[in-house]
Amino acid sequence: MLSFELSEEHKEVERTVHDWAAAEVAPKIHDLDREHRFERGFLKGMADLHLLGICIPEEWGGAGLDYLSLGLVCEELEYVDTHLRVIMSVHVGLNCMTLWCWGTDEQKRKYLAPQARGEKIATYGLTEPNAGSDAVGIQSTAVRKGDGYVLNGEKVWISLADVADHFIVFAWTDQEKKKNRDHKGLSAFIVERAFKGFSSYTIKEKWGILAGNTGGFSMDNVEVPVENRVGDEGEGFRVAMFALENGRYTVAAGATGLIRACLDASVRYAKERKTFGQAIGEHQLVKEMIAQMVSDYDASRLLWLRAGWLKNEGKRNTRETSLAKWFATVQSERAASDAVQIHGGNGYSDEYPVGRYYRNCKAAVIYEGTREIHKVMQADYALGFRQDKPRRVELPAYKR
């Protein structure tokens, strides 16, 4: 039976995360954003609420909730600030869910379980100075040496680069395939911050998500044991795309929360601010912008909920997740722009949060597949040029 009603468990997840973020983050976020300062204490708060392993099974240290719960958490966190959702995207969506599905039991015991409990923080390293959307353009290498690999290369625009303990890193293990841009020459590895030759840094001059940590890292002859390879040699591209699909889901849900934040802020201001003898909410063109936010919020939420439902059912959702990510992020950019417009000159100041929403929203239109990448994907699906083939590893259905 088709139902749009959330379960009581889902509603409790929403309430819990909303209340925590409102009490613990909202009063501090203005200053943290202005100071470009990452607050590590939020990680403990999220761990205490079991958010850092929200949909990972209890046997591996997680909360064992479903994929809709993951989406609800991301929407509520980004309602307060984007950097909170980014933590969920890289730690849970890109790293933990990948290790859960692709990792060996030993990798799950050593890395996944402490990550799901929030004892260790994790992220994902694919992007390089000259390779973003073009994943096979990366230059990092992993050369087999005895019982391990020696990794060299540089990654950039990595969320939590200067914070995370563990990294899923992608590098070429077949140099001949690298020359021919054959993705079957890529492999994935778990790299620890403590490994010799690993160093990281923070990018100081960002435009948005200023309370979050973004940076890069270098690998200078980093020795990684063979047991830290994720999947078989040559499966790195498949691992990367699997991870991105789950990351995109969290981005879609989060962008939906940002639209709602813009809507709520705009409604409040439109009722309070008066021009020409009446509240600006009475002006037709202001109503038009607010109405657009309403429709964009509802449509974005329905799209990510559909993707989450498909995940719960164990059904392939690459197309649906791509559409949800593309639509929600693009509409969040419009919502933030209109929210600033509704606030007029005040929207251009730091007194109101809509300027921060505007700065924060843009990155999601770029990372985890630019809007252009997703447009091409959706067109290819419609034209029949793209069809999803069975994968060796799939995200398991939620076990109730």
Side-chain angles (χ1 to χ4, degrees):
M1 182 180 296
L2 183 64
S3 173
F4 292 96
E5 182 72 18
L6 293 178
S7 69
E8 287 305 314
E9 184 177 55
H10 289 139
K11 293 176 183 177
E12 180 60 25
V13 169
E14 275 189 317
R15 285 192 297 267
T16 299
V17 178
H18 178 89
D19 291 348
W20 173 79
E24 300 298 327
V25 182
K28 304 174 183 177
I29 192 59
H30 174 274
D31 291 344
L32 292 173
D33 188 77
R34 296 306 296 165
E35 296 166 11
H36 296 212
R37 179 160 57 89
F38 181 80
E39 175 55 67
R40 289 177 178 265
F42 294 157
L43 293 173
K44 182 181 185 307
M46 294 169 73
D48 290 344
L49 292 176
H50 307 291
L51 304 186
L52 298 181
I54 184 75
C55 59
I56 303 301
E58 294 179 2
E59 65 179 301
W60 299 115
L65 300 184
D66 69 351
Y67 306 114
L68 289 178
S69 297
L70 170 62
L72 292 169
V73 168
C74 290
E75 181 174 325
E76 290 301 327
L77 290 176
E78 187 147 2
Y79 180 81
V80 174
D81 193 68
T82 300
H83 92 279
L84 296 174
R85 190 270 307 152
V86 169
I87 294 170
M88 295 296 295
S89 290
V90 298
H91 178 88
V92 180
L94 293 174
N95 192 301
C96 288
M97 293 174 73
T98 302
L99 286 186
W100 171 36
C101 297
W102 284 85
T104 64
D105 283 352
E106 177 57 29
Q107 288 172 349
K108 294 175 188 177
R109 280 191 291 270
K110 185 175 181 179
Y111 296 106
L112 177 60
Q115 289 174 189
R117 292 192 295 264
E119 298 165 1
K120 297 290 184 179
I121 301 302
T123 190
Y124 177 90
L126 178 62
T127 303
E128 295 186 0
N130 293 306
S133 299
D134 179 18
V136 295
I138 69 171
Q139 297 300 309
S140 295
T141 60
V143 178
R144 186 65 184 262
K145 181 180 179 181
D147 293 331
Y149 295 84
V150 177
L151 271 63
N152 283 280
E154 180 183 359
K155 303 293 181 178
V156 73
W157 293 113
I158 307 301
S159 297
L160 303 182
D162 239 5
V163 172
D165 302 291
H166 305 151
F167 303 75
I168 292 182
V169 176
F170 300 87
W172 290 98
T173 45
D174 188 317
Q175 300 310 304
E176 197 59 39
K177 285 185 170 60
K178 177 177 181 291
K179 293 177 185 177
N180 297 322
R181 289 177 53 84
D182 181 351
H183 68 75
K184 296 184 181 66
L186 286 167
S187 299
F189 302 90
I190 302 168
V191 174
E192 297 181 26
R193 175 176 297 280
F195 286 171
K196 184 180 178 181
F198 180 94
S199 61
S200 67
Y201 61 90
T202 294
I203 296 174
K204 299 292 186 181
E205 299 303 323
K206 292 187 299 178
W207 186 49
I209 319 181
L210 302 180
N213 177 263
T214 309
F217 62 85
S218 297
M219 299 174 292
D220 182 9
N221 291 323
V222 174
E223 296 184 6
V224 179
V226 68
E227 56 265 29
N228 277 33
R229 190 184 66 223
V230 181
D232 294 335
E233 191 169 288
E235 285 192 308
F237 185 81
R238 294 185 175 90
V239 174
M241 295 304 108
F242 175 92
L244 285 172
E245 184 172 303
N246 295 316
R248 288 166 178 167
Y249 173 67
T250 66
V251 173
T256 304
L258 192 144
I259 296 172
R260 177 158 56 91
C262 292
L263 173 61
D264 288 352
S266 297
V267 167
R268 283 194 303 269
Y269 191 79
K271 289 180 176 180
E272 297 168 358
R273 177 71 169 177
K274 288 183 169 55
T275 61
F276 304 102
Q278 60 183 354
I280 64 170
E282 297 290 342
H283 300 318
Q284 188 171 356
L285 293 182
V286 172
K287 287 182 179 181
E288 180 184 37
M289 289 185 281
I290 289 175
Q292 187 68 60
M293 292 182 205
V294 171
S295 65
D296 287 345
Y297 172 71
D298 276 15
S300 296
R301 185 171 169 96
L302 287 170
L303 285 172
W304 81 250
L305 283 170
R306 177 179 66 169
W309 178 83
L310 288 170
K311 289 179 184 295
N312 277 355
E313 295 295 314
K315 297 180 179 180
R316 186 70 177 267
N317 56 93
T318 304
R319 184 187 73 84
E320 291 80 4
T321 297
S322 165
L323 182 59
K325 190 273 181 186
W326 169 38
F327 185 86
T329 56
V330 170
Q331 305 320 313
S332 73
E333 187 177 15
R334 173 165 61 183
S337 177
D338 283 350
V340 171
Q341 192 73 17
I342 288 170
H343 282 68
N346 287 330
Y348 207 67
S349 75
D350 199 37
E351 182 180 355
Y352 293 85
V354 292
R356 174 164 51 87
Y357 301 157
Y358 194 33
R359 288 186 283 105
N360 286 353
C361 73
K362 185 60 183 179
V365 184
I366 300 171
Y367 54 53
E368 305 208 23
T370 64
R371 66 186 175 200
E372 290 76 19
I373 289 289
H374 290 290
K375 282 182 179 180
V376 171
M377 286 177 64
Q378 294 303 316
D380 284 349
Y381 278 119
L383 291 164
F385 299 159
R386 181 185 179 106
Q387 294 181 339
D388 293 325
K389 299 177 182 178
R391 299 182 291 199
R392 183 174 76 82
V393 175
E394 294 286 359
L395 187 70
Y398 174 63
K399 295 181 180 179
R400 296 169 176 81

